Short mmCIF file of all heavy atoms in Angstrom, two decimals:
data_model
loop_
_atom_site.label_atom_id
_atom_site.label_comp_id
_atom_site.label_asym_id
_atom_site.label_seq_id
_atom_site.Cartn_x
_atom_site.Cartn_y
_atom_site.Cartn_z
N MET A 1 -117.93 90.85 -86.33
CA MET A 1 -119.24 90.80 -86.93
C MET A 1 -120.17 91.72 -86.11
O MET A 1 -120.17 91.67 -84.92
CB MET A 1 -119.75 89.34 -86.92
CG MET A 1 -121.10 89.26 -87.57
SD MET A 1 -121.65 87.54 -87.67
CE MET A 1 -121.21 87.16 -89.33
N ASP A 2 -120.91 92.50 -86.84
CA ASP A 2 -121.84 93.47 -86.22
C ASP A 2 -123.08 92.75 -85.65
O ASP A 2 -123.44 91.68 -86.17
CB ASP A 2 -122.24 94.51 -87.22
CG ASP A 2 -122.94 95.71 -86.61
OD1 ASP A 2 -122.98 95.79 -85.37
OD2 ASP A 2 -123.45 96.55 -87.39
N VAL A 3 -123.70 93.31 -84.67
CA VAL A 3 -124.89 92.70 -84.06
C VAL A 3 -126.01 92.63 -85.09
O VAL A 3 -126.74 91.62 -85.17
CB VAL A 3 -125.34 93.51 -82.81
CG1 VAL A 3 -126.67 92.97 -82.29
CG2 VAL A 3 -124.27 93.44 -81.73
N ASP A 4 -126.20 93.68 -85.93
CA ASP A 4 -127.22 93.65 -86.91
C ASP A 4 -126.99 92.55 -87.92
O ASP A 4 -127.94 91.87 -88.36
CB ASP A 4 -127.32 95.00 -87.65
CG ASP A 4 -127.91 96.08 -86.74
OD1 ASP A 4 -128.65 95.72 -85.80
OD2 ASP A 4 -127.70 97.29 -87.01
N ASP A 5 -125.74 92.37 -88.34
CA ASP A 5 -125.42 91.28 -89.25
C ASP A 5 -125.71 89.93 -88.66
O ASP A 5 -126.24 89.05 -89.34
CB ASP A 5 -123.95 91.35 -89.70
CG ASP A 5 -123.65 92.59 -90.50
OD1 ASP A 5 -124.60 93.14 -91.15
OD2 ASP A 5 -122.50 93.01 -90.54
N LEU A 6 -125.40 89.76 -87.39
CA LEU A 6 -125.65 88.50 -86.72
C LEU A 6 -127.14 88.25 -86.62
O LEU A 6 -127.61 87.11 -86.84
CB LEU A 6 -125.02 88.52 -85.34
CG LEU A 6 -125.12 87.21 -84.54
CD1 LEU A 6 -124.44 86.08 -85.27
CD2 LEU A 6 -124.50 87.40 -83.15
N LEU A 7 -127.95 89.28 -86.31
CA LEU A 7 -129.38 89.11 -86.23
C LEU A 7 -129.99 88.80 -87.61
O LEU A 7 -130.94 88.02 -87.73
CB LEU A 7 -130.04 90.35 -85.64
CG LEU A 7 -129.92 90.48 -84.12
CD1 LEU A 7 -130.48 91.80 -83.64
CD2 LEU A 7 -130.64 89.31 -83.46
N LYS A 8 -129.44 89.38 -88.66
CA LYS A 8 -129.91 89.10 -90.01
C LYS A 8 -129.61 87.63 -90.34
O LYS A 8 -130.46 86.97 -90.95
CB LYS A 8 -129.25 90.02 -91.00
CG LYS A 8 -129.81 91.44 -90.94
CD LYS A 8 -129.09 92.35 -91.91
CE LYS A 8 -129.50 93.80 -91.68
NZ LYS A 8 -128.75 94.71 -92.52
N LEU A 9 -128.43 87.14 -89.95
CA LEU A 9 -128.10 85.77 -90.19
C LEU A 9 -129.07 84.86 -89.44
O LEU A 9 -129.55 83.84 -89.98
CB LEU A 9 -126.64 85.50 -89.75
CG LEU A 9 -126.16 84.07 -89.86
CD1 LEU A 9 -126.15 83.62 -91.33
CD2 LEU A 9 -124.77 83.94 -89.26
N VAL A 10 -129.36 85.16 -88.21
CA VAL A 10 -130.29 84.37 -87.39
C VAL A 10 -131.68 84.41 -88.03
O VAL A 10 -132.36 83.39 -88.11
CB VAL A 10 -130.33 84.86 -85.92
CG1 VAL A 10 -131.46 84.19 -85.17
CG2 VAL A 10 -128.99 84.59 -85.25
N LEU A 11 -132.09 85.58 -88.53
CA LEU A 11 -133.38 85.69 -89.17
C LEU A 11 -133.45 84.79 -90.42
O LEU A 11 -134.45 84.13 -90.65
CB LEU A 11 -133.65 87.15 -89.56
CG LEU A 11 -134.97 87.45 -90.25
CD1 LEU A 11 -136.15 87.07 -89.36
CD2 LEU A 11 -135.03 88.92 -90.65
N VAL A 12 -132.42 84.78 -91.21
CA VAL A 12 -132.38 83.95 -92.41
C VAL A 12 -132.48 82.49 -92.02
O VAL A 12 -133.21 81.71 -92.64
CB VAL A 12 -131.12 84.25 -93.26
CG1 VAL A 12 -130.94 83.19 -94.31
CG2 VAL A 12 -131.23 85.62 -93.87
N LEU A 13 -131.74 82.09 -90.99
CA LEU A 13 -131.76 80.70 -90.56
C LEU A 13 -133.12 80.30 -90.03
O LEU A 13 -133.63 79.20 -90.30
CB LEU A 13 -130.67 80.45 -89.49
CG LEU A 13 -129.24 80.51 -89.98
CD1 LEU A 13 -128.29 80.40 -88.81
CD2 LEU A 13 -129.00 79.44 -90.98
N VAL A 14 -133.75 81.22 -89.29
CA VAL A 14 -135.13 80.90 -88.77
C VAL A 14 -136.10 80.81 -89.95
O VAL A 14 -136.96 79.92 -89.96
CB VAL A 14 -135.58 82.04 -87.80
CG1 VAL A 14 -137.05 81.93 -87.50
CG2 VAL A 14 -134.78 81.92 -86.51
N LEU A 15 -135.97 81.68 -90.97
CA LEU A 15 -136.87 81.60 -92.10
C LEU A 15 -136.68 80.32 -92.90
O LEU A 15 -137.67 79.69 -93.31
CB LEU A 15 -136.67 82.82 -93.02
CG LEU A 15 -137.17 84.15 -92.41
CD1 LEU A 15 -136.82 85.31 -93.32
CD2 LEU A 15 -138.64 84.11 -92.12
N VAL A 16 -135.43 79.89 -93.04
CA VAL A 16 -135.17 78.60 -93.72
C VAL A 16 -135.79 77.49 -92.91
O VAL A 16 -136.42 76.55 -93.50
CB VAL A 16 -133.65 78.39 -93.94
CG1 VAL A 16 -133.34 76.98 -94.34
CG2 VAL A 16 -133.13 79.40 -94.93
N TRP A 17 -135.62 77.52 -91.60
CA TRP A 17 -136.18 76.51 -90.74
C TRP A 17 -137.70 76.47 -90.85
O TRP A 17 -138.32 75.39 -90.92
CB TRP A 17 -135.72 76.77 -89.32
CG TRP A 17 -136.34 75.85 -88.30
CD1 TRP A 17 -136.24 74.49 -88.25
CD2 TRP A 17 -137.14 76.25 -87.21
NE1 TRP A 17 -136.95 74.03 -87.17
CE2 TRP A 17 -137.53 75.10 -86.51
CE3 TRP A 17 -137.62 77.46 -86.73
CZ2 TRP A 17 -138.32 75.10 -85.38
CZ3 TRP A 17 -138.38 77.48 -85.61
CH2 TRP A 17 -138.74 76.33 -84.96
N LEU A 18 -138.33 77.65 -90.91
CA LEU A 18 -139.78 77.72 -91.05
C LEU A 18 -140.25 77.15 -92.39
O LEU A 18 -141.25 76.44 -92.43
CB LEU A 18 -140.25 79.15 -90.91
CG LEU A 18 -140.26 79.73 -89.49
CD1 LEU A 18 -140.60 81.19 -89.51
CD2 LEU A 18 -141.23 78.98 -88.63
N VAL A 19 -139.54 77.43 -93.46
CA VAL A 19 -139.89 76.86 -94.75
C VAL A 19 -139.83 75.35 -94.70
O VAL A 19 -140.71 74.65 -95.20
CB VAL A 19 -139.01 77.47 -95.85
CG1 VAL A 19 -139.15 76.66 -97.15
CG2 VAL A 19 -139.32 78.90 -96.07
N LEU A 20 -138.75 74.82 -94.09
CA LEU A 20 -138.65 73.38 -93.96
C LEU A 20 -139.76 72.80 -93.13
O LEU A 20 -140.31 71.71 -93.42
CB LEU A 20 -137.31 72.99 -93.38
CG LEU A 20 -136.10 73.27 -94.28
CD1 LEU A 20 -134.79 72.96 -93.51
CD2 LEU A 20 -136.18 72.45 -95.57
N GLU A 21 -140.16 73.49 -92.08
CA GLU A 21 -141.28 73.03 -91.22
C GLU A 21 -142.56 73.02 -92.04
O GLU A 21 -143.37 72.08 -91.89
CB GLU A 21 -141.41 73.93 -90.00
CG GLU A 21 -140.36 73.68 -88.94
CD GLU A 21 -140.59 72.38 -88.17
OE1 GLU A 21 -141.75 72.02 -87.96
OE2 GLU A 21 -139.59 71.77 -87.83
N ILE A 22 -142.79 74.05 -92.79
CA ILE A 22 -144.05 74.14 -93.60
C ILE A 22 -144.09 73.04 -94.62
O ILE A 22 -145.11 72.39 -94.83
CB ILE A 22 -144.20 75.54 -94.21
CG1 ILE A 22 -144.47 76.58 -93.10
CG2 ILE A 22 -145.31 75.57 -95.26
CD1 ILE A 22 -144.38 78.01 -93.55
N VAL A 23 -142.96 72.80 -95.30
CA VAL A 23 -142.91 71.73 -96.30
C VAL A 23 -143.18 70.38 -95.59
O VAL A 23 -143.87 69.52 -96.13
CB VAL A 23 -141.53 71.72 -97.02
CG1 VAL A 23 -141.36 70.45 -97.83
CG2 VAL A 23 -141.43 72.95 -97.91
N GLY A 24 -142.60 70.21 -94.42
CA GLY A 24 -142.85 68.99 -93.65
C GLY A 24 -144.31 68.80 -93.31
O GLY A 24 -144.84 67.70 -93.37
N GLU A 25 -144.95 69.89 -92.95
CA GLU A 25 -146.40 69.83 -92.64
C GLU A 25 -147.21 69.48 -93.87
O GLU A 25 -148.14 68.69 -93.78
CB GLU A 25 -146.87 71.17 -92.06
CG GLU A 25 -146.36 71.45 -90.66
CD GLU A 25 -146.94 70.57 -89.61
OE1 GLU A 25 -148.10 70.12 -89.78
OE2 GLU A 25 -146.25 70.32 -88.61
N VAL A 26 -146.87 70.08 -95.01
CA VAL A 26 -147.63 69.83 -96.23
C VAL A 26 -147.47 68.37 -96.64
O VAL A 26 -148.37 67.74 -97.09
CB VAL A 26 -147.15 70.78 -97.35
CG1 VAL A 26 -147.70 70.35 -98.69
CG2 VAL A 26 -147.56 72.21 -97.04
N LEU A 27 -146.29 67.84 -96.50
CA LEU A 27 -146.05 66.44 -96.88
C LEU A 27 -146.57 65.45 -95.86
O LEU A 27 -146.50 64.22 -96.04
CB LEU A 27 -144.55 66.20 -97.11
CG LEU A 27 -143.94 66.97 -98.27
CD1 LEU A 27 -142.43 66.76 -98.34
CD2 LEU A 27 -144.60 66.56 -99.57
N GLY A 28 -147.05 65.91 -94.78
CA GLY A 28 -147.63 65.03 -93.76
C GLY A 28 -146.62 64.37 -92.85
O GLY A 28 -146.94 63.35 -92.26
N LEU A 29 -145.43 64.94 -92.73
CA LEU A 29 -144.42 64.33 -91.89
C LEU A 29 -144.68 64.55 -90.41
O LEU A 29 -144.31 63.74 -89.56
CB LEU A 29 -143.04 64.87 -92.26
CG LEU A 29 -142.54 64.53 -93.69
CD1 LEU A 29 -141.19 65.21 -93.94
CD2 LEU A 29 -142.44 63.03 -93.85
N PHE A 30 -145.26 65.70 -90.12
CA PHE A 30 -145.55 66.02 -88.73
C PHE A 30 -147.06 66.24 -88.59
O PHE A 30 -147.62 67.05 -89.23
CB PHE A 30 -144.82 67.30 -88.29
CG PHE A 30 -143.35 67.22 -88.47
CD1 PHE A 30 -142.69 67.97 -89.42
CD2 PHE A 30 -142.58 66.36 -87.70
CE1 PHE A 30 -141.31 67.85 -89.61
CE2 PHE A 30 -141.23 66.24 -87.85
CZ PHE A 30 -140.59 67.00 -88.83
N VAL A 31 -147.65 65.46 -87.70
CA VAL A 31 -149.10 65.49 -87.53
C VAL A 31 -149.42 65.82 -86.08
O VAL A 31 -148.72 65.39 -85.17
CB VAL A 31 -149.75 64.13 -87.91
CG1 VAL A 31 -151.25 64.16 -87.69
CG2 VAL A 31 -149.41 63.76 -89.33
N GLY A 32 -150.43 66.63 -85.89
CA GLY A 32 -150.91 66.93 -84.55
C GLY A 32 -150.63 68.35 -84.12
O GLY A 32 -149.87 69.09 -84.78
N ALA A 33 -151.22 68.74 -83.03
CA ALA A 33 -151.08 70.10 -82.55
C ALA A 33 -149.73 70.39 -81.99
O ALA A 33 -149.21 71.51 -82.08
CB ALA A 33 -152.17 70.37 -81.45
N LEU A 34 -149.07 69.42 -81.38
CA LEU A 34 -147.73 69.67 -80.78
C LEU A 34 -146.69 69.90 -81.85
O LEU A 34 -145.68 70.56 -81.60
CB LEU A 34 -147.34 68.47 -79.89
CG LEU A 34 -148.17 68.32 -78.66
CD1 LEU A 34 -147.68 67.10 -77.85
CD2 LEU A 34 -148.07 69.56 -77.78
N ALA A 35 -146.86 69.35 -83.06
CA ALA A 35 -145.91 69.57 -84.14
C ALA A 35 -145.92 70.99 -84.66
O ALA A 35 -144.92 71.45 -85.17
CB ALA A 35 -146.21 68.58 -85.27
N ALA A 36 -147.03 71.70 -84.50
CA ALA A 36 -147.14 73.11 -84.97
C ALA A 36 -146.49 74.04 -83.97
O ALA A 36 -146.16 75.20 -84.35
CB ALA A 36 -148.58 73.45 -85.19
N LEU A 37 -146.25 73.63 -82.77
CA LEU A 37 -145.69 74.52 -81.74
C LEU A 37 -144.35 75.07 -82.10
O LEU A 37 -144.11 76.28 -82.01
CB LEU A 37 -145.65 73.81 -80.39
CG LEU A 37 -145.20 74.66 -79.19
CD1 LEU A 37 -146.19 75.80 -78.98
CD2 LEU A 37 -145.13 73.80 -77.95
N PRO A 38 -143.38 74.30 -82.64
CA PRO A 38 -142.11 74.88 -83.01
C PRO A 38 -142.24 75.90 -84.16
O PRO A 38 -141.52 76.89 -84.18
CB PRO A 38 -141.26 73.66 -83.46
CG PRO A 38 -141.89 72.54 -82.79
CD PRO A 38 -143.36 72.83 -82.68
N SER A 39 -143.15 75.67 -85.07
CA SER A 39 -143.37 76.61 -86.16
C SER A 39 -143.90 77.93 -85.64
O SER A 39 -143.45 79.02 -86.07
CB SER A 39 -144.37 76.06 -87.16
OG SER A 39 -143.87 74.88 -87.76
N ILE A 40 -144.80 77.88 -84.68
CA ILE A 40 -145.34 79.09 -84.10
C ILE A 40 -144.25 79.85 -83.34
O ILE A 40 -144.14 81.08 -83.44
CB ILE A 40 -146.53 78.74 -83.15
CG1 ILE A 40 -147.70 78.22 -83.98
CG2 ILE A 40 -146.96 79.99 -82.37
CD1 ILE A 40 -148.83 77.65 -83.16
N LEU A 41 -143.43 79.14 -82.62
CA LEU A 41 -142.30 79.77 -81.93
C LEU A 41 -141.33 80.37 -82.92
O LEU A 41 -140.80 81.47 -82.68
CB LEU A 41 -141.60 78.77 -81.02
CG LEU A 41 -142.39 78.29 -79.83
CD1 LEU A 41 -141.61 77.20 -79.07
CD2 LEU A 41 -142.71 79.43 -78.91
N GLY A 42 -141.08 79.73 -84.04
CA GLY A 42 -140.20 80.27 -85.08
C GLY A 42 -140.74 81.54 -85.67
O GLY A 42 -140.00 82.51 -85.88
N VAL A 43 -142.04 81.60 -85.88
CA VAL A 43 -142.68 82.80 -86.40
C VAL A 43 -142.54 83.95 -85.39
O VAL A 43 -142.24 85.08 -85.77
CB VAL A 43 -144.17 82.55 -86.75
CG1 VAL A 43 -144.89 83.85 -87.03
CG2 VAL A 43 -144.28 81.62 -87.93
N LEU A 44 -142.76 83.64 -84.13
CA LEU A 44 -142.61 84.66 -83.10
C LEU A 44 -141.22 85.23 -83.03
O LEU A 44 -140.99 86.42 -82.90
CB LEU A 44 -143.05 84.12 -81.74
CG LEU A 44 -144.54 83.84 -81.56
CD1 LEU A 44 -144.78 83.20 -80.22
CD2 LEU A 44 -145.33 85.14 -81.70
N VAL A 45 -140.21 84.35 -83.15
CA VAL A 45 -138.81 84.80 -83.11
C VAL A 45 -138.52 85.67 -84.33
O VAL A 45 -137.90 86.71 -84.22
CB VAL A 45 -137.84 83.58 -83.03
CG1 VAL A 45 -136.42 84.00 -83.29
CG2 VAL A 45 -137.97 82.88 -81.68
N ALA A 46 -139.00 85.25 -85.50
CA ALA A 46 -138.75 86.01 -86.73
C ALA A 46 -139.42 87.38 -86.64
O ALA A 46 -138.80 88.39 -87.00
CB ALA A 46 -139.27 85.24 -87.91
N VAL A 47 -140.62 87.45 -86.11
CA VAL A 47 -141.33 88.73 -85.99
C VAL A 47 -140.62 89.65 -84.99
O VAL A 47 -140.42 90.85 -85.25
CB VAL A 47 -142.78 88.52 -85.53
CG1 VAL A 47 -143.44 89.80 -85.08
CG2 VAL A 47 -143.58 87.89 -86.68
N LEU A 48 -140.12 89.12 -83.89
CA LEU A 48 -139.41 89.93 -82.92
C LEU A 48 -138.11 90.45 -83.52
O LEU A 48 -137.77 91.63 -83.28
CB LEU A 48 -139.12 89.13 -81.66
CG LEU A 48 -140.33 88.87 -80.76
CD1 LEU A 48 -139.94 87.93 -79.61
CD2 LEU A 48 -140.85 90.16 -80.22
N ILE A 49 -137.40 89.67 -84.28
CA ILE A 49 -136.14 90.11 -84.90
C ILE A 49 -136.41 91.19 -85.91
O ILE A 49 -135.72 92.21 -85.99
CB ILE A 49 -135.38 88.94 -85.50
CG1 ILE A 49 -134.84 88.05 -84.37
CG2 ILE A 49 -134.18 89.44 -86.34
CD1 ILE A 49 -134.18 86.77 -84.83
N VAL A 50 -137.43 91.03 -86.71
CA VAL A 50 -137.80 92.05 -87.72
C VAL A 50 -138.19 93.34 -87.04
O VAL A 50 -137.76 94.42 -87.46
CB VAL A 50 -138.91 91.53 -88.66
CG1 VAL A 50 -139.51 92.66 -89.50
CG2 VAL A 50 -138.39 90.43 -89.54
N LEU A 51 -139.00 93.25 -85.97
CA LEU A 51 -139.38 94.45 -85.24
C LEU A 51 -138.16 95.15 -84.64
O LEU A 51 -138.05 96.36 -84.63
CB LEU A 51 -140.40 94.12 -84.18
CG LEU A 51 -141.79 93.75 -84.69
CD1 LEU A 51 -142.69 93.31 -83.50
CD2 LEU A 51 -142.42 94.95 -85.40
N TRP A 52 -137.23 94.36 -84.13
CA TRP A 52 -136.02 94.94 -83.55
C TRP A 52 -135.18 95.61 -84.60
O TRP A 52 -134.64 96.72 -84.39
CB TRP A 52 -135.21 93.83 -82.82
CG TRP A 52 -134.08 94.37 -82.07
CD1 TRP A 52 -134.13 94.86 -80.78
CD2 TRP A 52 -132.70 94.50 -82.45
NE1 TRP A 52 -132.91 95.27 -80.35
CE2 TRP A 52 -132.00 95.07 -81.38
CE3 TRP A 52 -132.03 94.20 -83.60
CZ2 TRP A 52 -130.65 95.33 -81.45
CZ3 TRP A 52 -130.68 94.45 -83.67
CH2 TRP A 52 -130.00 95.01 -82.59
N LEU A 53 -135.06 94.99 -85.77
CA LEU A 53 -134.28 95.58 -86.87
C LEU A 53 -134.95 96.86 -87.37
O LEU A 53 -134.24 97.76 -87.86
CB LEU A 53 -134.08 94.59 -88.00
CG LEU A 53 -133.12 93.45 -87.72
CD1 LEU A 53 -133.16 92.44 -88.85
CD2 LEU A 53 -131.73 93.98 -87.50
N LEU A 54 -136.23 96.96 -87.30
CA LEU A 54 -136.97 98.13 -87.75
C LEU A 54 -137.12 99.18 -86.64
O LEU A 54 -137.79 100.18 -86.77
CB LEU A 54 -138.36 97.75 -88.27
CG LEU A 54 -138.35 96.89 -89.55
CD1 LEU A 54 -139.78 96.45 -89.85
CD2 LEU A 54 -137.70 97.65 -90.70
N ASP A 55 -136.47 98.92 -85.50
CA ASP A 55 -136.52 99.80 -84.33
C ASP A 55 -137.94 100.04 -83.84
O ASP A 55 -138.33 101.16 -83.48
CB ASP A 55 -135.83 101.15 -84.64
CG ASP A 55 -134.35 101.01 -84.80
OD1 ASP A 55 -133.79 100.11 -84.15
OD2 ASP A 55 -133.78 101.80 -85.56
N ARG A 56 -138.76 99.00 -83.85
CA ARG A 56 -140.12 99.08 -83.34
C ARG A 56 -140.21 98.59 -81.92
O ARG A 56 -141.25 98.67 -81.29
CB ARG A 56 -141.07 98.29 -84.20
CG ARG A 56 -141.12 98.72 -85.65
CD ARG A 56 -141.83 100.02 -85.73
NE ARG A 56 -141.92 100.39 -87.14
CZ ARG A 56 -142.47 101.50 -87.58
NH1 ARG A 56 -142.96 102.36 -86.72
NH2 ARG A 56 -142.51 101.76 -88.84
N ILE A 57 -139.12 97.98 -81.40
CA ILE A 57 -139.13 97.49 -80.02
C ILE A 57 -138.35 98.48 -79.17
O ILE A 57 -137.29 98.88 -79.45
CB ILE A 57 -138.51 96.09 -79.93
CG1 ILE A 57 -139.40 95.10 -80.67
CG2 ILE A 57 -138.40 95.65 -78.47
CD1 ILE A 57 -138.87 93.67 -80.63
#
């Protein structure tokens, strides 16, 4: 498996995870500032992978 393919797979998994986190927030399952921290970290990971794939890093 190529490194780019592996990073694309990780990016898809992170995006699915973020969608699930957002749905959880909308439904009120996670409340408070600490619950948003994993979502923010997921967004940062996704942005870094996209930038790496676009050769911006």
